[in-house]
Amino acid sequence: MKTKTRVKPETSSHRRQHVSNRAARLSPSGIRKFFDLLNTMEGGISLGVGEPDFPTPWHIREAAIESIETGQTMYTSNSGTPELRRELARSLKSDYAIAYDPGDELLITVGVSEALDLAMRAIINPGDEVILPDPSFVAYISSVILAEGVPVTVPCYEESNFEMSPEAIARRITKKTRAILLGFPSNPTGAVMSREKLLEIAELAKHNNITIISDEIYAKLTYGVAHICMASLPGMKDYTILLGGFSKAYAMTGWRVGYAAAPKDIIAAMTKIHQYTMMCASTMGQVAALEALKGDQDCVREMVEDYNRRRLVIVKGLCDIGLSCFEPKGAFYAFPSIRCTGMTSDEFAERLLEEERVVVVPGSAFGQCGEGYVRCCYATSMAEIQEALKRMKRFVKKYRKG
Ligand SMILES: Cc1ncc(COP(=O)(O)O)c(C=O)c1O
């Protein structure tokens, strides 16, 4: 007689671990939980999200609308439309006097977010080290981990204008160093790097044959200082993967368009990964980006002037209430010290939200060296900035030590 083997039904408690070690090693972003909390409150003010409060300028939206009306709804070339790559090459030449071949040295991506991931996956082998600043943008460490690289952080201190010290970088270079990741103007500090320091880092890269991945998404948002593009420094085009985008300067966060400019072997490697994962950036997004580059740049100048007015108000306001604040020269973040309250940055952000309904991001979300600070994004209306400062004043008065 045949016996039937009964298979025990699988229950969730017997399910084997399905999450990869790579994914398990990532920490969730320390930013999101505050927005989720804010959404449950009335009368809250957010200095949290790092995105422009302006809608995309109308001429850019109109170009995209027209592209939809005329049926431009298909995939584009993996590398991005030839028109956009040509226009990007023209714009990089005019901004920084660097000549990129639109045929094989440029790749249009789904924001700088994708470009960063592609850059890491294209050049990092398991165990390779990537030197990067602390504090820095939350995705930097994760992008290295996802590529199975090893992040090596360089502390950036307020006393040194939150710049990345070339000496500190040099001390961390080993045989395994594959890349140095720079992100200036900086999210979260608003710091920019001086030409002298960038030149020293460039020398380190050339001398040790290291690639620089330079995230310059805030290049157009600087105040009283000119942005220096790493790839434009002598001999650096060959050593740099330049990442740039449209999200911040053109208020286009939702369109999801960015780019990478790099030597052709690296662009070819990045394009292979991009073609199997994204295929191409969105077609209407690329039409909008083309219009952003071709159209009048007054919209960018006007937004920068507006951010600058808010920057001056928030920095002075924070200092006046006793939160000493480094003067940011780029991006749209103020990074005041909260040490006078004796709280950790996490406690400060949580209690400020609970008691005064103002969202700021704890500096520790950006790395260990961010502890003792909070990030306040001033890409929000002047009225909201002033109201947030009023509430923060009340809060600091209550908890100030000494
Ligand atoms: C430093 C930095 N790099 C990259 C990004 C991501 O930009 P994108 O919208 O182009 O993906 C951000 C977004 O906040 C950022 O602050």
Side-chain angles (χ1 to χ4, degrees):
M1 197 173 91
K2 266 195 190 159
T3 56
K4 230 179 172 178
T5 332
R6 295 195 60 197
V7 179
K8 204 170 162 206
E10 208 170 88
T11 63
S12 61
S13 61
H14 287 93
R15 194 162 69 87
R16 70 189 159 85
Q17 171 64 272
H18 282 188
V19 173
S20 71
N21 296 343
R22 203 185 302 116
R25 277 182 64 207
L26 297 182
S27 322
S29 161
I31 298 185
R32 281 285 139 197
K33 71 175 181 191
F34 291 94
F35 307 136
D36 296 343
L37 274 172
L38 184 74
N39 287 339
T40 64
M41 289 177 179
E42 255 180 44
I45 298 179
S46 177
L47 303 181
V49 197
E51 76 176 326
D53 59 330
F54 298 105
T56 306
W58 179 244
H59 65 283
I60 299 176
R61 286 186 268 163
E62 217 172 16
I65 293 167
E66 198 189 316
S67 80
I68 296 169
E69 281 175 350
T70 54
Q72 295 178 53
T73 54
M74 317 291 189
Y75 293 130
T76 71
S77 140
N78 294 137
S79 309
T81 65
E83 297 81 4
L84 178 54
R85 280 179 285 134
R86 272 199 300 273
E87 191 55 32
L88 180 58
R90 187 207 55 75
S91 138
L92 291 169
K93 181 102 189 271
S94 112
D95 287 349
Y96 308 123
I98 330 173
Y100 282 105
D101 184 337
D104 53 14
E105 293 182 322
L106 297 176
L107 171 64
I108 307 301
T109 59
V110 182
V112 169
S113 305
E114 192 215 353
L116 175 69
D117 179 52
L118 293 177
M120 292 297 169
R121 288 203 276 164
I123 68 166
I124 300 300
N125 285 313
D128 283 350
E129 294 172 0
V130 179
I131 298 178
L132 54 95
D134 173 5
S136 64
F137 178 46
V138 289
Y140 289 171
I141 289 196
S142 306
S143 68
V144 177
I145 292 175
L146 282 172
E148 302 192 28
V150 179
V152 176
T153 54
V154 171
C156 300
Y157 300 112
E158 185 174 355
E159 303 75 68
S160 317
N161 298 322
F162 288 116
E163 284 184 272
M164 216 175 164
S165 141
E167 295 77 31
I169 294 176
R171 282 197 299 277
R172 286 164 177 78
I173 293 177
T174 69
K175 282 202 177 68
K176 290 190 174 168
T177 307
R178 184 68 191 87
I180 300 171
L181 170 56
L182 300 178
F184 295 92
S186 158
N187 172 8
T189 64
V192 299
M193 291 282 290
S194 71
R195 188 181 185 85
E196 295 68 41
K197 290 213 166 60
L198 286 178
L199 281 168
E200 284 181 57
I201 297 172
E203 284 313 310
L204 287 174
K206 285 186 279 187
H207 183 75
N208 295 286
N209 196 16
I210 292 170
T211 300
I212 304 259
I213 302 174
S214 190
D215 173 359
E216 301 184 18
I217 191 164
Y218 294 102
K220 290 186 193 288
L221 307 188
T222 58
Y223 312 100
V225 290
H227 174 71
I228 297 159
C229 174
M230 181 45 107
S232 72
L233 297 178
M236 283 310 289
K237 188 184 158 209
D238 281 353
Y239 286 90
T240 307
I241 305 179
L242 165 64
L243 310 181
F246 299 84
S247 291
K248 314 289 174 166
Y250 297 96
M252 289 177 59
T253 46
W255 297 86
R256 310 308 305 127
V257 191
Y259 62 86
K264 62 181 179 190
D265 56 329
I266 294 181
I267 288 294
M270 290 172 71
T271 306
K272 277 194 281 180
I273 305 170
H274 170 79
Q275 108 194 359
Y276 293 124
T277 49
M278 289 299 155
M279 196 92 97
C280 64
S282 98
T283 304
M284 27 294 213
Q286 293 188 61
V287 171
L290 175 64
E291 177 59 28
L293 291 179
K294 274 172 78 172
D296 197 334
Q297 300 300 299
D298 276 355
C299 58
V300 179
R301 274 187 288 276
E302 282 160 20
M303 287 190 273
V304 171
E305 277 167 22
D306 222 85
Y307 292 140
N308 193 27
R309 281 191 284 276
R310 306 176 201 185
R311 177 182 77 105
L312 296 171
V313 167
I314 200 165
V315 171
K316 178 168 184 317
L318 289 166
C319 290
D320 287 349
I321 64 181
L323 298 179
S324 78
C325 187
F326 160 80
E327 193 198 336
K329 296 271 172 61
F332 36 49
Y333 308 105
F335 203 58
S337 163
I338 48 116
R339 292 216 171 87
C340 67
T341 61
M343 294 181 205
T344 63
S345 61
D346 227 50
E347 273 166 6
F348 183 99
E350 263 168 44
R351 288 164 84 164
L352 182 66
L353 177 58
E354 263 165 35
E355 294 174 32
E356 295 290 352
R357 289 165 298 142
V358 174
V359 173
V360 295
V361 181
S364 56
F366 305 96
Q368 275 176 10
C369 291
E371 187 47 271
Y373 297 87
V374 292
R375 189 192 77 175
C376 307
C377 174
Y378 54 82
T380 186
S381 73
M382 195 68 104
E384 293 223 299
I385 291 173
Q386 271 154 349
E387 177 59 26
L389 285 168
K390 216 161 82 187
R391 298 185 192 183
M392 287 170 86
K393 181 175 179 178
R394 205 158 47 207
F395 182 80
V396 173
K397 205 163 155 201
K398 195 153 74 175
Y399 293 107
R400 198 182 166 85
K401 297 242 162 19

